[in-house]
Amino acid sequence: MANHTSPAPLAYSIKDAVAVTTLSRPRIYQLINEGKLETRKLGRRTIILADSLRRLVQEGC
């Protein structure tokens, strides 16, 4: 029987980043403004690159 796992996300929405890190929404935006989280705009939507979020969590704020 095959074990099907979902691939790791490439990016997170602001809402999802709040959920996975337990940081507040204002803190996420603060980290973005400080250049500590790398983002991309897709239309009107802002996404946070997963590698950037992982690096922040591993290295600390």
Side-chain angles (χ1 to χ4, degrees):
M1 185 141 95
N3 183 7
H4 298 284
T5 59
S6 298
L10 298 175
Y12 292 92
S13 66
I14 300 295
K15 180 180 177 181
D16 290 341
V18 168
V20 299
T21 62
T22 69
L23 295 173
S24 69
R25 187 177 183 90
R27 181 66 175 139
I28 292 288
Y29 279 110
Q30 180 183 13
L31 292 166
I32 291 169
N33 291 332
E34 291 173 357
K36 294 181 179 177
L37 284 174
E38 191 175 353
T39 62
R40 297 287 187 273
K41 290 292 274 187
L42 294 176
R44 294 175 50 196
R45 188 172 183 193
T46 300
I47 59 169
I48 300 169
L49 301 182
D51 288 340
S52 177
L53 194 58
R54 284 188 197 96
R55 191 169 36 254
L56 176 81
V57 171
Q58 289 172 347
E59 297 173 2
C61 300

